[in-house]
């Protein structure tokens, strides 16, 4: 489960509650409630006062019925939002990101060596994943000129920014690992990454000349080949762009990292 999605939903609920409180200040203040009846295919509206008396609201005064019903809607919506807020806050507070590893790690080393974990613990899995996806496989002669914080060379400044972000956040990645396409040809996506929580593999392509027509057409063909090979945008393929008129947007990159990789 992506706890970041729940935190985002909680923030959206908080924003909705703020908006609702502002609107509640201007709704009608009355103890009367609306009663709706239908006759001959036409809705008729009445209001019931505090004594239980029912009074018909003529069509010329339908705004009064509308105000009462709008008030009821806001009240019920506020109750529901507060309920969901409370549920999410309690869940997020008690949620444990990796309970399977957490149970294993609570045992002392002497006991751990006697245990066969339900699945490889996180670091063992990460090491195995890195071994299975070696990086720097692209045979292209020109070596990158930008040194990343992890100590490898990449081919562009934007790729360095991406690599350093992955490294800083703690996302396992390899640069230019090989990938076999549907037609048997081998390509080298910019990055292959691991979502440690879901243990899911993602590929990341950065398009640095999106405004160039020939470059764009070539990479649209690349995306089509990826899709035919099982790499699908929004599922296991992430892309980022920049062009002459659009600079590298680090905040947008961080949002994608949070959505897919954390």
């Amino acid at each position: 489960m992506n706890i970041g999605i729940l935190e985002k939903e909680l923030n959206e609920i908080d924003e909705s509650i703020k908006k609702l409180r502002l609107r509640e200040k201007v709704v009608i203040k009355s103890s009367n409630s609306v009663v709706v009846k239908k006759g001959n295919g036409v809705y008729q509206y009445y209001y019931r006062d505090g004594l239980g008396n029912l009074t018909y609201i003529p069509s010329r005064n339908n705004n009064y019925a509308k105000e009462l019903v709008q008030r009821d809607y806001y009240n019920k919506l506020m109750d529901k939002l507060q309920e969901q807020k409370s549920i999410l806050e309690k869940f997020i507070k008690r949620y444990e990101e990796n309970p399977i590893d957490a149970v294993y790690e609570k045992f002392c080393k002497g006991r751990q060596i006697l245990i066969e974990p339900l699945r490889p613990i996180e670091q063992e899995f990460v090491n195995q994943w890195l071994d299975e996806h070696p990086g720097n496989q692209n045979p292209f002669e020109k070596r990158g000129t930008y040194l990343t914080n992890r100590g490898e060379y990449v081919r562009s400044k934007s790729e360095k920014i991406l690599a350093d972000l992955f490294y800083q956040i703690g996302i396992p990645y390899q640069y230019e690992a090989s990938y076999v396409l549907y037609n048997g040809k081998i390509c080298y996506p910019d990055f292959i990454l691991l979502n440690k929580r879901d243990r899911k593999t993602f590929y990341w392509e950065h398009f640095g000349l999106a405004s160039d027509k020939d470059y764009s057409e070539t990479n649209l063909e690349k995306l089509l080949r990826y899709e035919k090979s099982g790499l699908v945008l929004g599922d296991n393929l992430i892309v980022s762009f920049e062009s002459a008129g659009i600079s590298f947007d680090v905040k947008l990159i961080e949002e994608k990292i949070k959505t897919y990789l954390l």
Side-chain angles (χ1 to χ4, degrees):
M1 177 179 293
N2 190 336
I3 200 70
I5 293 176
L6 295 182
E7 290 173 340
K8 182 179 180 181
E9 185 175 345
L10 182 59
N11 289 335
E12 289 174 353
I13 288 175
D14 282 334
E15 287 301 314
S16 295
I17 289 175
K18 290 178 183 177
K19 292 178 182 177
L20 193 53
R21 282 177 175 155
L22 291 174
R23 296 189 182 187
E24 282 183 326
K25 292 179 180 179
V26 297
V27 299
I28 188 171
K29 309 298 181 185
S30 173
S31 60
N32 294 342
S33 59
V34 170
V35 176
V36 182
K37 296 184 179 183
K38 191 174 183 180
N40 298 322
V42 178
Y43 288 109
Q44 297 176 332
Y45 299 98
Y46 301 77
Y47 72 85
R48 178 174 281 119
D49 60 25
L51 299 176
N53 298 317
L54 204 62
T55 303
Y56 174 68
I57 303 175
S59 58
R60 65 178 179 275
N61 292 335
N62 265 3
N63 278 344
Y64 181 62
K66 182 178 180 179
E67 289 176 349
L68 290 175
V69 173
Q70 188 70 40
R71 176 208 61 193
D72 294 343
Y73 165 74
Y74 284 156
N75 289 340
K76 289 184 180 294
L77 181 57
M78 179 63 81
D79 289 343
K80 176 56 69 175
L81 290 174
Q82 294 286 11
E83 176 190 349
Q84 290 298 109
K85 175 181 167 70
S86 177
I87 291 171
L88 282 173
E89 286 177 336
K90 290 177 181 177
F91 181 83
I92 291 171
K93 183 177 181 180
R94 298 184 61 184
Y95 179 73
E96 196 162 0
E97 192 73 31
N98 193 344
I100 295 177
D101 285 3
V103 170
Y104 174 81
E105 289 168 357
K106 286 179 181 177
F107 285 89
C108 69
K109 293 296 183 183
R111 294 179 183 272
Q112 286 179 357
I113 62 176
L114 302 176
I115 294 173
E116 182 179 342
L118 183 64
R119 66 179 189 182
I121 62 172
E122 184 176 280
Q123 193 54 54
E124 290 178 357
F125 184 85
V126 170
N127 292 339
Q128 180 182 341
W129 182 87
L130 290 170
D131 289 340
E132 291 174 354
H133 302 88
N136 297 295
Q137 299 298 299
N138 193 340
F140 183 57
E141 292 181 1
K142 183 180 177 181
R143 190 185 76 163
T145 55
Y146 295 85
L147 183 64
T148 70
N149 291 342
R150 198 174 75 170
E152 68 206 337
Y153 285 95
V154 295
R155 303 180 194 280
S156 73
K157 182 178 180 180
S158 296
E159 288 178 344
K160 170 178 165 52
I161 294 173
L162 285 168
D164 289 346
L165 276 173
F166 302 147
Y167 185 62
Q168 175 186 345
I169 296 171
I171 298 168
Y173 77 89
Q174 297 283 34
Y175 177 67
E176 291 191 339
S178 61
Y179 182 81
V180 181
L181 295 169
Y182 72 99
N183 57 9
K185 293 185 177 181
I186 298 176
C187 66
Y188 307 92
D190 292 333
F191 297 96
I192 180 173
L193 309 108
L194 175 66
N195 180 319
K196 293 188 290 186
R197 184 194 64 256
D198 297 336
R199 301 197 172 188
K200 180 176 178 179
T201 297
F202 288 84
Y203 291 82
W204 191 305
E205 280 282 6
H206 179 72
F207 301 119
L209 297 170
S211 57
D212 183 273
K213 184 176 182 295
D214 293 336
Y215 178 88
S216 295
E217 288 179 355
T218 298
N219 284 291
L220 284 174
E221 292 175 3
K222 178 189 285 188
L223 290 176
L224 180 59
R225 290 195 296 271
Y226 279 165
E227 188 167 350
K228 287 183 177 180
S229 306
L231 299 185
V232 181
L233 276 172
D235 179 18
N236 55 356
L237 176 63
I238 308 167
V239 298
S240 50
F241 302 90
E242 62 181 308
S243 69
I246 303 174
S247 60
F248 190 88
D249 191 332
V250 175
K251 287 187 178 180
L252 183 58
I253 296 299
E254 289 174 342
E255 279 298 314
K256 290 186 177 184
I257 290 173
K258 185 175 181 180
T259 299
Y260 294 103
L261 300 169
L262 296 178

